[in-house]
Amino acid sequence: MKPKKIKDRVLWMGAVDWNRRLFDSLIPLPDGTSYNAYLVRGSDKTALLDSVDPTMETIFMTQLADVPKIDYVVSHHAEQDHSGAIPAVLKKYPAAKLVCSPKAKDLLVDHLHLSAERIQPVGDGETISLGDRTLTFIHTPWVHWPETMVTYLREDKILFTCDFFGSHLATSKVYAGEEASVGEAAKRYYAEIMMPFRKTIQSNLKKIEGLDFELIAPSHGPIYDKPKGILDCYRDWVSDRVSNLVVIPYISMHGSTETMVNYLVAALAERGIQVQKFELSTTDIGKLAMALVDAATIVIGTPTVHVGPHPSVFSATHLANALRPKLKYAAIIGSYGWGTKAVEQISGLIPNLKVEVLGTVLCKGLPREADFAALDDLSEKIREKHTQL
Ligand code: FEO
């Protein structure tokens, strides 16, 4: 797409990556993504905020063909989907300084082999004047790496946030409006990228609360022209509130674990508890991550393979532990053929989850009446706990 005017002195630039389906060779992108950059032309100086993924460099440099001078290139985040085209930009504009947080300096040198002499670190709250426009830099660590910062353009009331508030969504629309698809994509983004840093994001939200902005311009997905909506969502997602929801990631090899999971789902539903189950050989792990944003309880369902949990369960459990959701309760159910250490091994995989374990139900072979009774007991325990939420 061509650059688009956001304000008289602010242009959207960048690239829409309609076809990308995986990020970090891990995260599903069902709706593609975009890499947004912004050009701010002050009366004296011009700044470019972020760049694009290296795969989109040619498109980006074409957009810059008619830009004769850039004085500052601002890197909010050293990750390559935003910084990857910066070496080409600095080559085209040899007088430009690269502005970033102090922590970003080494990262940019390491990841892009940039010359440290071109880099001008800025402190938290520091400003750079472009003449009739002023850039204020606010350090907001861990959205998504330790070096991340945002830029506030007070004259135009825009907050440029890079990954913070982003959404992996390819669209020809510049503004989010009140579209539900943007909210869905933003929640997926939060779940996959931001959730491990929930506590730090609480602090970052407080830091930007006092600023007077009308637009939030992230570097993925559309610009929020009604920022209250995404701010309210973030306040909810990072809060300590959990829902009356049980998430069940599971897999089954010969049907025993599946039978138990289905029985438990019905038992929980009868008790007024919302359930989302995820069959791990087919599930989109992004959907699982989204369910974990505010679920109160996780029940992991696994058969036993070579004494331990099924490898797919191992992987999903490791991911859930890394995402650090605000779960309060956990349980493990499943089956085995002749012996198992699945419970011990799964327990060792979740040190980050500050959960109370409500029980384990493992059956040998096909579940019997006693196993179903144990699942009834487990669902009753979950009901009691959820009643107190
Ligand atoms: Fe969009 Fe953390 O990079």
Side-chain angles (χ1 to χ4, degrees), residues 49 74 76 135-138 149-153 158-160:
L49 313 186
V74 176
H76 293 121
L135 305 178
T136 302
F137 306 104
I138 301 154
M149 67 176 192
V150 302
T151 296
Y152 177 51
L153 178 60
I158 305 176
L159 188 66
F160 299 95

Side-chain angles (χ1 to χ4, degrees), residues 23 77 79-82 144-145 162-163 168 189 193 220:
F23 196 84
H77 178 21
E79 193 166 11
Q80 292 88 334
D81 53 326
H82 309 292
H144 140 227
W145 286 3
C162 199
D163 273 359
H168 283 310
Y189 190 91
I193 308 284
H220 293 294

Side-chain angles (χ1 to χ4, degrees), residues 3 6 13 30 32 44-45 61 65 68 93 108 119 143 161 218 221 241 303 314 334-335 345 349 357-358:
I6 305 300
M13 305 182 99
D44 298 337
K45 296 191 170 172
M61 296 312 288
Y93 302 99
L108 288 164
I119 299 178
V143 287
T161 58
R241 184 193 69 80
F314 198 97
S335 57
Q345 292 191 18
L349 288 172
V357 177
L358 298 181

Side-chain angles (χ1 to χ4, degrees), residues 215-254:
L215 298 176
I216 292 178
S219 294
H220 293 294
I223 295 170
Y224 298 96
D225 47 341
K226 299 179 189 302
K228 182 177 182 304
I230 189 69
L231 288 168
D232 286 347
C233 285
Y234 260 75
R235 287 186 190 112
D236 182 45
W237 296 335
V238 303
S239 75
D240 294 330
R241 184 193 69 80
V242 291
S243 296
N244 177 25
L245 170 64
V246 175
V247 172
I248 309 181
Y250 78 100
I251 203 160
S252 194
M253 293 163 68
H254 297 289

Side-chain angles (χ1 to χ4, degrees), residues 364-383:
K364 189 175 179 189
L366 277 171
R368 297 178 169 84
E369 286 307 312
D371 303 308
F372 294 125
L375 291 172
D376 280 328
D377 288 347
L378 176 60
S379 56
E380 189 56 28
K381 266 189 204 165
I382 293 172
R383 187 196 66 76

